[in-house]
């Protein structure tokens, strides 16, 4: 019996000497009857492709067949033929030649001339040696009877090898055999091999006028860096020196894409070469850059904010590419290298939605990477994994790796285990074009290919531009300390502009005078812009335009916004949310769920957390706002609470009630994300940067897991507006609360977010009622500014009998309450001896214990919003209890939670109330290294102690 999982055939072990003849015979037998060979060989031969099969099947028969002749393409008459022996040899030669051709397609990149510095000698790979397939030197000029392969008919082996070397082993090496889609693989193959039709292949693809344009673009890139180096020798600029071909390369991709219908492109990149891209791609005035080098701000005087270094900033512009207008936006990002990747994709997706670009053809993303970061940063793999998922698909991203062959001071041998820095892209079967950065025409051409591939297939594509850093990690660095041989080679290596100019002059396409004239024109422009920088002042900040027009840069957090809905609207929404189509096979448990939800809304009481959330979403949808929720298992909800997606139990057909409230409503998206935090949160953040009219939420499976996305929180969410003048209304939903589920399922690390709060940068809240949650979500879209919202959301409270609201709490005239006062029937205010301030789930533990112990002299206040800190509201409430001591109660250990954030703030409030007790007291767990215990019995003991201490019930 044949193996069901055959071991793969290793070509390198048998394609040598006489074995190749045996393989050729097997192949001929396989063509006659595939099942006549073993399963292992069948799998191998099938991998050669349909092309080889059809050619050989038409051209000849096997050696044992009755037919003993082969008609050659060059036969003068149909009767001219080979004899039986020659026929067999011709068949074997042709099969072996096809194997060699396939080897070049798979491995030719290993022999390509890709390194401008020639530090790694190009070696002939064994699979690219004709001798490995049984060819002898005297065979090289014999005809090979193949048809329409490489655009050739009956070539000699020498001609085949020359063509293969020209296509696969010059300045471009391509990896595409790993692609499983035959159409994609054939597209890459045909486009690359088609380049060999001209002498010199890719290097001579362009007309002289275009070559002149490319030389000008390379000259602009080089001269800009050299000018900065001379004028500001002590300044860091992370220049593009050594990678100047990037500029004509990006422009080539943009021009090609513009012709194909792309109206907008979002770019993201790290800092190397950013200033060059800002000037020569984005069209930012050089005088603006020079002004910043001279110490001026990038923002007008009336715009506040911390700002950022020059090589982190972004901008936007409109450019005309051969009569096709395109809007460009370069996304600002920190030195956290690949952190910007998912942010860019989120922006692209939002802009595609704005244009109703369902085919993802009008807006695209371009991401520029460093080689060390592309291989080393896990966020790259997370971002790549989003590329084909329906909730995150953007129709393909063009990835450009500026391959400096070093990461800071780390050589590639210590930076990765893979052959190329781009090997990670094979996981999504993206074609990978490696190109020598010293050949700008080759770079421009593969960028065209990349744009065309992205347009045709809507899939990611990677261009690996192998170049070098002429200076160190930054211009003040001394790279020879760690890479003396590399930097000796660089010091002796001519610039890309000089190399290319000499090539064009030698070929007669340009004269020396043409080259001098181009350089002089660029230098004069630089001098003029430098002079203008002395008097340059920015007139406006690059924000609050386009979709952001009408929003305010000043946030009034004390403003009260009526976020209630009419009773009729709430009842209509409730009906729509609990109705499913006829013949929809709903799970019986969900039938009860929807029935209970409808009953609660219609009766106007016991409305739980998930119903309050659904009412908030629905109201915003009816008001014209998109609502987008993503995260792990958010459709159902981690705690089986949401059920935003209903599935037919027979067909698994999906039904989203929130998309069936009204024909005129906006769209609701709920996306079960991959098991990623950083990439998905970054994507949703990017969406909010481009779309202020959508409520965009990311929900962690447990709040603890958000720490996997801490870079996005620290560098974008908490500080993006201050650094880069970019608002975001992103909502982070972080399940939080101590229920004895252990240290990884208790704390959303509230303290970390509070530590980041300053300058009204974001909001942090922990609500206790469904209605307050409803209002804070709606408030996000009803104020004239946008701020990120960090929400501690419940787990056990999702079904707590007391954590419910009435319909009246959602109706017109109601709004979010940053502080909820005491609501119980207890002693008179002047009889209250203790006020406990708390937030979240612990409130219900305190309430239950107070009722159980019949305590009457303790009032409980709920702090629903931590930041911006509602000091005035707390002051008003605490003035009611002049004789009471004030206790802050939390479930978290003392070194965590809100205590260290609130301690001095509460003291300040108490000072203003003239309360006789001016210092708040602490009731909570002791300091701890771990967030929570993993033992349920210990948890219960600790929780009892926290509650009893807060209420003054400890003995």
């Amino acid at each position: 019996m044949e193996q069901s999982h055959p071991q793969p055939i290793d070509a390198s072990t048998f394609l040598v000497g006489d074995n190749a003849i045996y393989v050729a015979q097997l192949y001929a037998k396989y063509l006659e009857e595939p099942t006549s060979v073993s399963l292992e060989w069948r799998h191998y031969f099938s991998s050669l492709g349909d092309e080889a099969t059809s050619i050989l099947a038409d051209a000849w028969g096997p050696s044992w067949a009755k037919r003993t002749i082969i008609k050659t393409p060059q036969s003068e008459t149909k009767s001219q033929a080979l004899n039986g022996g020659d026929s067999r040899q011709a068949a074997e030669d042709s099969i072996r030649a096809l194997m060699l051709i396939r080897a070049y397609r798979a491995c030719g990149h290993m022999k390509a001339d890709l390194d401008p510095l020639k530090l790694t000698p190009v070696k002939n790979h064994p699979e690219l040696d004709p001798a490995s397939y049984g060819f002898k030197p005297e065979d090289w000029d014999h005809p090979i009877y193949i048809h329409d392969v490489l655009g050739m008919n009956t070539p000699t082996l020498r001609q085949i090898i020359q063509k293969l070397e020209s296509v696969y082993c010059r300045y471009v090496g391509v990896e595409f055999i790993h692609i499983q889609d035959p159409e994609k693989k054939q597209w890459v193959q045909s486009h690359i091999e088609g380049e060999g039709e001209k002498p010199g292949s890719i290097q001579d693809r362009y007309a002289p006028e275009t070559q002149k344009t490319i030389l000008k673009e390379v000259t602009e890139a080089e001269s800009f860096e050299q000018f900065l180096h001379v004028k500001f020798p002590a300044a860091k600029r992370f220049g593009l020196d050594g990678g100047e071909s990037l500029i004509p390369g990006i422009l080539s991709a943009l021009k090609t894409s513009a012709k194909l219908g792309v109206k907008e492109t979002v770019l993201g990149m790290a800092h190397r070469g950013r200033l060059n891209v800002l000037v020569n791609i984005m069209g930012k005035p050089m005088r603006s850059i020079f002004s910043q080098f001279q110490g001026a701000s990038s923002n007008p005087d009336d715009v506040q904010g911390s700002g950022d270094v020059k090589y982190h900033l972004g901008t936007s512009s409109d450019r005309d590419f051969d009569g096709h207008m395109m809007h460009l936006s370069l996304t600002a990002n920190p030195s956290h290298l690949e952190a910007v990747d998912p942010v860019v994709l989120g922006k692209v997706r939002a802009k595609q939605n704005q244009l109703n670009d369902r085919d993802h053809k009008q807006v695209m993303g371009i991401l520029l990477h460093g080689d060390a970061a592309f291989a080393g940063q896990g966020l790259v793999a997370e971002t790549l994994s989003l590329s084909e998922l329906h909730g995150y698909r953007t129709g393909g991203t063009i990835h450009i790796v500026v391959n400096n062959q070093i990461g800071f001071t780390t050589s590639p041998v210590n930076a990765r285990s893979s052959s190329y820095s781009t090997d990670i892209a094979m996981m999504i079967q993206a074609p990978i074009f490696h190109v020598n950065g010293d050949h700008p025409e080759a770079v421009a051409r593969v960028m065209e290919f990349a744009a065309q591939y992205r347009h045709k297939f809507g899939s990611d594509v990677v261009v690996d531009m192998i170049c070098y850093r002429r200076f160190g990690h930054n211009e003040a660095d001394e790279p020879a300390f760690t890479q003396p041989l590399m930097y000796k080679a660089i010091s002796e290596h001519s610039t890309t502009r000089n190399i290319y100019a000499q090539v064009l002059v030698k070929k007669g396409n340009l004269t020396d005078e043409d080259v001098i004239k181009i350089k002089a024109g660029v230098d004069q422009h630089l001098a003029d812009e430098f002079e203008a920088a002395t008097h340059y002042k920015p007139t406006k900040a690059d924000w609050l335009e386009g979709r952001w027009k009408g929003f305010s840069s000043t946030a009034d957090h004390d403003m009260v916004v009526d976020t209630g809905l009419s009773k009729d609207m709430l009842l209509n929404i409730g009906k729509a949310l609990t109705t499913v189509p006829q013949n929809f096979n709903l799970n019986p448990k969900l039938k009860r769920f929807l029935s209970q939800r409808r009953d609660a809304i219609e009766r106007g009481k016991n409305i739980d957390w998930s119903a309050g959330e659904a009412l908030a979403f629905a109201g915003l949808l009816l008001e014209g706002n998109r609502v987008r929720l993503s995260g792990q298992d958010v459709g159902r909800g981690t705690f089986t609470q949401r059920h935003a997606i209903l599935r037919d139990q027979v067909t698994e057909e999906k039904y989203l009630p929130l998309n069936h409230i009204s024909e005129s409503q906006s769209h609701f998206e709920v996306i079960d994300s991959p098991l990623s935090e950083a990439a998905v949160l970054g994507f949703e953040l990017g969406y909010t940067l481009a779309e202020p009219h959508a409520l965009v939420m990311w929900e962690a499976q447990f709040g603890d897991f958000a720490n996997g996305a801490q870079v996005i929180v620290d560098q974008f969410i908490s500080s993006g507006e201050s650094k880069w003048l970019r608002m975001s209304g992103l909502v982070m939903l972080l399940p939080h609360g101590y229920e004895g589920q252990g240290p990884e399922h208790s704390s959303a690390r509230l303290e970390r977010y509070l530590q980041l709060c300053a300058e009204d940068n974001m909001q942090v809240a922990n609500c206790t009622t469904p209605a307050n949650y409803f209002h804070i979500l709606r408030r996000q879209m009803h104020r004239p500014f946008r701020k990120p919202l960090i929400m501690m959301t419940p787990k056990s409270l999702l079904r707590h009998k007391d954590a419910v609201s009435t319909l009246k709490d959602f109706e017109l005239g109601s709004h979010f309450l940053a502080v909820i006062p005491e609501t119980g029937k207890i002693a008179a205010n002047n009889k209250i001896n203790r006020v406990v301030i708390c937030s979240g789930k612990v409130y219900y533990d305190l309430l239950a214990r107070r009722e159980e112990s019949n305590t009457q002299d303790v009032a409980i206040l709920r702090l629903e919003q931590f930041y911006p800190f509602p000091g005035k509201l707390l002051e008003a409430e605490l003035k009611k209890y002049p004789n009471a001591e004030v206790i802050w109660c939390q479930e978290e250990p003392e070194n965590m939670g809100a205590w260290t954030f609130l301690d001095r703030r509460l003291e300040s409030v108490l000072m203003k109330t003239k309360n006789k007790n001016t210092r708040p007291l602490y009731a909570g767990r002791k300091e701890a290294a771990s967030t929570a215990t993993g033992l349920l019995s210990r948890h219960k003991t600790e929780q009892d102690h926290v509650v009893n201490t807060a209420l003054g019930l400890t003995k």
Side-chain angles (χ1 to χ4, degrees):
M1 180 180 292
E2 293 180 337
Q3 299 177 25
S4 58
H5 298 286
Q7 295 297 313
I9 296 296
D10 183 1
S12 63
T13 64
F14 62 77
L15 290 179
V16 292
D18 294 337
N19 286 341
I21 303 297
Y22 166 71
V23 173
Q25 293 170 343
L26 275 180
Y27 192 27
K29 194 174 180 182
Y30 163 79
L31 292 175
E32 186 75 12
E33 176 50 59
T35 58
S36 65
V37 301
S38 71
L39 195 58
E40 291 90 345
W41 283 112
R42 209 181 310 161
H43 276 261
Y44 176 73
F45 291 144
S46 68
S47 72
L48 298 181
D50 293 335
E51 177 188 47
T53 303
S54 59
I55 292 170
L56 295 177
D58 291 342
W60 61 74
S63 58
W64 59 83
K66 293 181 180 179
R67 184 160 60 99
T68 58
I69 64 171
I70 290 183
K71 295 182 179 180
T72 72
Q74 297 175 335
S75 297
E76 294 182 3
T77 66
K78 292 183 179 180
S79 61
Q80 184 177 353
L82 299 173
N83 62 40
D86 290 341
S87 173
R88 177 176 177 178
Q89 186 62 50
E92 292 171 350
D93 288 348
S94 299
I95 293 171
R96 288 182 286 151
L98 284 168
M99 291 177 176
L100 177 62
I101 291 170
R102 187 178 186 279
Y104 266 91
R105 289 168 177 163
C107 305
H109 57 90
M110 298 181 182
K111 192 180 176 184
D113 180 8
L114 300 177
D115 180 9
L117 302 176
K118 307 291 190 292
L119 294 176
T120 305
V122 175
K123 297 179 181 178
N124 195 6
H125 193 276
E127 291 187 27
L128 305 181
D129 184 356
S132 297
Y133 304 90
F135 288 113
K136 300 175 183 177
E138 56 266 27
D139 298 330
W140 279 44
D141 293 309
H142 293 169
I144 303 295
Y145 294 99
I146 57 175
H147 302 248
D148 298 324
V149 178
L150 298 168
M152 309 172 84
N153 289 317
T154 321
T156 64
L157 181 63
R158 188 181 304 279
Q159 290 172 325
I160 290 174
I161 293 172
Q162 287 174 345
K163 178 67 179 282
L164 290 169
E165 292 280 326
S166 173
V167 171
Y168 290 107
C169 302
R170 292 195 73 214
Y171 308 125
V172 175
V174 58
E175 293 183 276
F176 68 100
I177 295 299
H178 60 279
I179 300 174
Q180 295 175 11
D181 185 324
E183 185 182 2
K184 290 180 178 179
K185 186 155 53 180
Q186 180 60 34
W187 188 95
V188 175
Q189 178 181 307
S190 63
H191 278 66
I192 286 290
E193 293 180 358
E195 292 297 302
E197 296 172 3
K198 280 192 170 189
S201 188
I202 284 177
Q203 182 65 18
D204 295 321
R205 173 66 175 75
Y206 295 108
E209 194 60 34
T210 303
Q211 292 175 326
K212 183 177 180 181
T213 298
I214 292 175
L215 178 61
K216 182 174 183 292
E217 292 164 354
V218 173
T219 302
E220 289 170 339
E222 178 185 287
S223 299
F224 176 73
E225 300 293 357
Q226 292 178 344
F227 189 86
L228 290 177
H229 195 61
V230 171
K231 294 294 184 181
F232 309 101
K236 289 182 183 180
R237 56 186 168 85
F238 295 95
L240 193 57
D241 314 78
E244 293 89 349
S245 291
L246 176 69
I247 299 304
I250 295 177
L251 288 171
S252 177
L254 293 175
K255 291 172 185 176
T256 303
S257 298
K259 290 177 184 176
L260 294 171
V262 174
K263 296 182 173 63
E264 189 162 356
T265 298
V266 184
L267 295 94
M269 65 182 297
H271 39 287
R272 181 162 308 284
R274 177 180 287 264
L275 299 182
N276 216 308
V277 169
L278 282 169
V279 166
N280 291 310
I281 301 296
M282 305 301 299
K284 186 171 184 174
M286 289 183 186
R287 62 189 68 181
S288 171
I289 301 288
F290 296 152
S291 172
Q292 291 171 54
F293 270 98
Q294 294 167 359
S297 171
S298 60
N299 298 325
D301 294 337
D302 60 341
V303 174
Q304 302 302 310
S306 67
D308 202 349
V309 291
K310 299 172 286 296
Y311 39 81
H312 289 173
L313 300 176
T315 192
S316 61
S317 64
D318 294 300
R319 290 205 57 176
D320 185 337
F321 294 116
D322 303 323
H324 303 278
M325 292 301 300
M326 181 184 286
H327 182 73
L328 304 177
S329 61
L330 176 63
T331 305
N333 70 286
S335 291
H336 285 65
L337 302 174
E338 303 294 337
V340 76
D341 297 353
V343 179
V344 165
L345 300 192
K347 289 181 68 174
V348 171
R349 176 76 175 222
K351 290 172 180 289
Q352 289 172 342
N353 286 344
Q354 289 165 4
L355 296 174
N356 198 28
D357 180 17
R358 296 181 179 179
D359 295 330
H360 311 298
K361 300 292 188 185
Q362 299 178 51
V363 186
M364 75 171 182
I366 295 179
L367 290 175
L368 282 72
H369 314 266
D371 51 313
F374 199 74
Q377 296 284 302
L379 193 51
V380 174
E382 288 189 37
T383 303
L384 291 171
S385 73
L386 299 179
S387 61
E388 295 298 328
L389 303 180
H390 85 277
Y392 309 94
R393 189 178 295 124
T394 60
T397 300
I398 298 176
H399 298 270
I400 304 170
V401 177
V402 182
N403 192 334
N404 297 304
Q405 307 185 72
I406 189 173
F408 197 172
T409 68
T410 303
S411 299
V413 68
N414 296 318
R416 61 178 186 265
S417 296
S418 55
S419 298
Y420 294 108
S421 63
T422 53
D423 284 356
I424 188 67
M426 288 188 177
M427 78 180 206
I428 59 166
Q429 300 177 47
I432 303 169
F433 296 93
H434 306 282
V435 58
N436 189 317
D438 257 0
H439 296 273
E441 281 187 43
V443 174
R445 185 58 176 149
V446 296
M447 293 291 193
E448 278 188 43
F449 286 160
Q452 292 166 350
Y453 181 91
R454 187 260 173 200
H455 175 78
K456 181 170 180 62
F457 297 109
S459 299
D460 285 27
V461 57
V462 177
V463 175
D464 178 24
M465 189 186 79
I466 300 169
C467 51
Y468 57 91
R469 294 182 326 210
R470 185 160 290 277
F471 303 102
H473 177 67
N474 60 63
E475 289 68 28
D477 194 30
E478 176 46 79
F481 290 156
T482 51
Q483 275 76 29
L485 297 182
M486 171 183 275
Y487 277 87
K488 182 177 185 296
I490 290 173
S491 67
E492 298 169 353
H493 189 72
S494 186
T495 68
T496 301
R497 186 193 77 86
N498 288 339
I499 293 170
Y500 186 47
Q502 290 170 12
V503 168
L504 296 183
V505 170
K506 184 177 181 181
K507 291 184 176 181
N509 294 351
L510 288 179
T511 65
D512 287 327
E513 290 73 18
D514 292 330
V515 175
I516 294 170
K517 186 177 180 181
I518 290 171
K519 182 71 166 68
V522 171
D523 288 345
Q524 184 60 53
H525 181 60
L526 283 163
D528 293 344
E529 288 293 297
F530 183 74
E531 177 65 26
T534 307
H535 310 289
Y536 177 80
K537 273 201 164 217
T539 57
K540 65 175 183 175
D542 182 20
W543 70 328
L544 303 185
E545 297 177 347
R547 299 285 290 189
W548 289 91
K549 190 172 183 179
F551 285 88
S552 172
S553 60
T554 304
D556 179 7
H557 286 281
D558 289 331
M559 67 185 300
V560 175
V561 182
D562 184 352
T563 46
L565 297 172
S566 72
K567 182 177 181 179
D568 286 345
M569 180 179 285
L570 290 167
L571 291 173
N572 288 335
I573 290 171
K575 183 177 180 180
L577 292 178
T578 55
T579 301
V580 297
Q582 288 185 351
N583 302 320
F584 189 88
N585 299 290
L586 190 64
N587 185 288
K589 293 182 180 179
L590 291 184
K591 285 183 181 179
R592 291 194 299 273
F593 170 83
L594 294 183
S595 176
Q596 291 167 357
R597 174 176 286 183
R598 173 176 287 197
D599 182 65
I601 294 173
E602 289 180 349
R603 294 175 60 196
K605 60 182 182 179
N606 294 327
I607 297 172
D608 65 12
W609 194 270
S610 65
E613 179 186 76
L615 290 172
F617 293 171
L620 291 172
L621 292 167
L622 292 173
E623 291 165 349
N625 303 284
R626 291 182 69 98
V627 175
R628 178 182 167 93
L629 170 64
S630 77
Q632 294 151 24
D633 310 295
V634 294
R636 189 200 74 171
T638 297
F639 310 100
T640 320
Q641 86 281 9
R642 181 171 289 120
H643 298 295
I645 303 174
L646 305 177
R647 284 181 173 82
D648 188 295
Q649 297 299 291
V650 176
T651 66
E652 286 201 4
E653 178 187 353
K654 294 181 181 180
Y655 181 75
L656 281 68
L658 278 163
N659 275 329
H660 297 275
I661 306 166
S662 166
E663 292 183 0
S664 59
Q665 71 172 85
S666 287
H667 185 64
F668 171 66
E669 276 187 290
V670 57
I671 303 132
D672 290 339
S673 77
L675 199 63
S676 157
E677 283 80 36
V680 176
L681 180 60
F683 189 100
E684 303 308 332
L685 169 76
Y687 198 106
T688 65
L689 295 177
E691 180 53 89
H693 300 289
L695 178 68
V696 179
M697 295 155 289
W698 174 74
E699 183 175 70
Q701 195 168 71
F702 283 85
D704 315 54
F705 301 167
N707 58 15
Q710 199 66 43
V711 168
I712 303 298
V713 175
D714 292 347
Q715 304 301 330
F716 289 92
I717 295 173
S718 67
S719 58
E721 183 177 344
S722 179
K723 292 189 293 188
W724 307 314
L725 302 182
R726 289 296 180 266
M727 282 187 182
S728 167
L730 178 69
V731 179
M732 292 177 61
L733 303 177
L734 308 177
H736 175 83
Y738 282 56
E739 282 106 354
Q741 296 187 49
E744 272 72 61
H745 297 89
S746 297
S747 176
R749 290 293 191 174
L750 172 63
E751 65 279 358
R752 293 184 178 174
Y753 301 98
L754 293 177
Q755 185 183 39
L756 295 171
C757 289
E759 299 182 303
D760 285 343
N761 60 332
M762 59 186 187
Q763 308 153 99
V764 181
N766 189 10
C767 297
T768 57
T769 72
N772 226 20
Y773 178 50
F774 165 92
H775 288 298
I776 200 170
L777 291 179
R778 286 181 49 75
R779 189 180 70 168
Q780 279 295 96
M781 305 303 296
H782 278 262
R783 294 186 297 188
F785 57 87
R786 294 288 180 264
K787 298 285 181 180
L789 170 61
I790 314 299
M791 274 293 305
M792 304 291 115
T793 59
K795 295 175 289 183
S796 62
L797 294 191
L798 295 170
R799 293 176 178 82
H800 196 288
K801 64 180 180 62
D802 293 326
V804 293
S805 299
T806 67
L807 193 65
K808 190 169 184 59
D809 297 329
F810 299 88
E811 292 180 17
L812 293 174
S814 57
H815 57 84
F816 173 71
L817 301 174
V819 177
I820 298 180
E822 173 61 64
T823 58
K825 294 180 180 181
I826 55 176
N829 290 351
N830 61 354
K831 301 293 185 181
I832 297 299
N833 296 317
R834 177 174 291 219
V835 175
V836 179
I837 306 173
C838 65
S839 76
K841 166 191 161 287
V842 75
Y843 165 73
Y844 292 98
D845 294 339
L846 290 165
L847 186 64
R849 185 63 51 84
R850 187 178 71 174
E851 292 177 355
E852 177 187 306
S853 63
N854 195 29
T855 300
Q856 297 292 312
D857 62 349
V858 178
I860 305 174
L861 304 182
R862 285 173 270 176
L863 185 60
E864 302 281 289
Q865 176 178 290
F866 293 103
Y867 191 83
F869 180 64
K872 292 180 180 179
L873 295 175
L874 264 180
E875 182 182 343
E877 288 302 318
L878 290 175
K879 280 182 177 179
K880 298 176 183 178
Y881 312 106
N883 302 317
E885 60 181 355
V886 175
I887 291 88
W888 168 253
C889 177
Q890 66 178 38
E891 297 181 300
E892 304 89 348
E894 189 172 359
N895 57 314
M896 303 176 196
W899 171 238
T900 55
F901 174 81
L902 291 174
D903 182 13
R904 296 299 179 185
R905 288 175 171 83
L906 290 176
E907 182 178 33
S908 177
V909 169
L910 287 171
M911 295 286 286
K912 293 175 183 177
T913 63
K914 303 190 185 308
N915 191 298
K916 70 177 184 180
N917 298 293
T918 58
R919 280 286 300 148
L921 303 177
Y922 170 78
R925 285 172 169 82
K926 296 179 181 179
E927 288 186 348
S930 179
T931 54
T933 178
L935 301 174
L936 183 59
S937 59
R938 183 182 295 176
H939 162 76
K940 290 179 178 179
T941 300
E942 291 176 351
Q943 194 75 0
D944 283 344
H945 180 74
V946 168
V947 172
N948 289 333
T949 300
L951 295 173
L953 300 177
T954 53
K955 296 179 181 179

